[in-house]
Amino acid sequence: MKTPKPKACRVCSRMFEPRSTTQLVCSVQCAILRNRGKETKAKRERKKADLERLKTLSDHHKETQSIFNRWVRLRDHGLPCISCGRNTGAQRHAGHFKPVGGFPELRYNPDNVHSQCAHCNDWLSGNLALYRARLLEKIGPERLQTLEGPQEPRQYRVEELKAIQSEYKAKIRELKRNNTNDVV
């Protein structure tokens, strides 16, 4: 069997005598350095696509709700709580006037969701009597009537949820661009 010719290491460029014709580096340290950045963009994209394929409808809803809630908090940044009217600087939630469990078709409706202090949302179950009064002032009687009126039942598909995500991500970018020094 013929011994391979000496060649230059692909990492450190030192000459070495390989053990086989396929050996590209001179030492274990050079092999580690070479393989450290080896995960290619294509491999990362493939991995991302695989993870995306494994998501359930529930996972897509959670992701969409998170993006939508972030947009609501940014849209209402600096405004008082929709229910109690206080602006204490406490943690803010995206509080739904009509709850998601009973009205899933209104889940991503901007008229149905407003900035609410954690106390009203968590401890007072949305403080709905005051929420309704302030909502009437904010959006007007016609839009409130639309919210309170009968709704078409709706089940979201993954494609619709992805479209909602991209729409609200763009709105978040726009809000951040317009309020760079105010928004956290």
Side-chain angles (χ1 to χ4, degrees):
M1 187 162 127
K2 196 172 173 184
T3 60
K5 295 184 214 170
K7 58 171 128 177
C9 175
R10 296 263 176 107
V11 175
C12 66
S13 302
R14 252 189 353 223
M15 294 300 289
F16 72 100
E17 289 193 27
R19 292 186 191 141
S20 70
T21 56
T22 58
Q23 186 177 348
L24 302 174
V25 293
C26 64
S27 65
V28 174
Q29 290 82 12
C30 285
I32 291 171
L33 287 173
R34 184 170 192 276
N35 288 327
R36 202 170 266 162
K38 192 92 173 179
E39 189 176 354
T40 64
K41 186 176 180 181
K43 207 178 215 182
R44 285 191 301 271
E45 293 293 327
R46 206 169 33 251
K47 191 179 203 180
K48 188 176 177 182
D50 288 345
L51 289 174
E52 186 69 26
R53 227 182 3 262
L54 291 175
K55 283 184 185 176
T56 63
L57 183 62
S58 176
D59 293 334
H60 285 285
H61 268 297
K62 286 177 189 172
E63 193 174 320
T64 306
Q65 191 70 58
S66 174
I67 293 166
F68 180 74
N69 290 352
R70 178 158 171 74
W71 173 77
V72 169
R73 286 190 298 272
L74 289 172
R75 176 195 68 184
D76 296 349
H77 179 74
L79 297 177
C81 171
I82 189 76
S83 297
C84 65
R86 290 182 292 181
N87 200 355
T88 61
Q91 182 183 16
R92 291 307 181 118
H93 293 184
H96 288 75
F97 176 60
K98 294 287 188 172
V100 172
F103 303 89
E105 58 276 2
L106 296 174
R107 184 178 196 155
Y108 306 113
N109 183 328
D111 283 344
N112 187 45
V113 187
H114 298 275
S115 179
Q116 196 173 41
C117 68
H119 181 261
C120 285
N121 197 28
D122 290 340
W123 297 99
L124 302 177
S125 300
N127 201 356
L128 294 180
L130 292 175
Y131 195 138
R132 187 185 186 287
R134 287 202 168 75
L135 190 59
L136 180 61
E137 293 171 16
K138 188 172 182 177
I139 67 172
E142 297 83 25
R143 287 165 55 189
L144 182 60
Q145 183 63 34
T146 303
L147 273 181
E148 291 179 328
Q151 304 291 327
E152 285 286 320
R154 181 167 186 190
Q155 290 189 356
Y156 292 96
R157 294 187 324 268
V158 172
E159 297 78 28
E160 292 173 304
L161 294 175
K162 286 182 179 183
I164 292 170
Q165 286 177 22
S166 63
E167 174 187 350
Y168 282 99
K169 281 180 183 178
K171 288 182 177 187
I172 288 170
R173 280 192 300 275
E174 185 64 30
L175 281 173
K176 284 184 174 184
R177 188 177 10 257
N178 291 339
N179 304 323
T180 53
N181 54 352
D182 292 341
V183 179
V184 177

